[in-house]
């Protein structure tokens, strides 16, 4: 987590295009992103990100 969270700013948005029905697909703000990622890392041993796009 300490290596991933600095990639986001306070107004960051993280979207998951394919989620189970009824699950949230959009997370706005650093706190929501950090909470979501922390939960994901608890459930998985290794997670990889690809096709990242960073805009200013």
């Amino acid at each position: 987590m300490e290596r991933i969270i600095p990639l986001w700013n306070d107004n960051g948005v993280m979207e998951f295009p394919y989620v189970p029905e009824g699950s949230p697909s959009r997370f706005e703000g650093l706190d929501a992103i950090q909470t979501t990622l922390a939960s994901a890392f608890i459930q998985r041993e290794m997670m990889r990100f690809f096709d990242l796009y960073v805009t200013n």
Side-chain angles (χ1 to χ4, degrees):
M1 286 296 297
E2 64 274 355
R3 291 172 54 190
I4 292 174
I5 292 303
L7 297 173
W8 302 95
N9 71 28
D10 291 339
N11 299 315
V13 175
M14 181 173 62
E15 295 180 310
F16 293 101
Y18 306 105
V19 296
E21 187 174 326
S23 296
S25 63
R26 182 179 172 96
F27 302 90
E28 297 183 37
L30 187 58
D31 290 338
I33 292 169
Q34 186 169 0
T35 300
T36 301
L37 290 177
S39 174
F41 283 124
I42 289 170
Q43 298 173 24
R44 291 171 178 77
E45 186 174 315
M46 180 66 169
M47 180 180 285
R48 294 179 187 203
F49 295 90
F50 56 93
D51 292 335
L52 296 175
Y53 297 94
V54 179
T55 61
N56 290 332

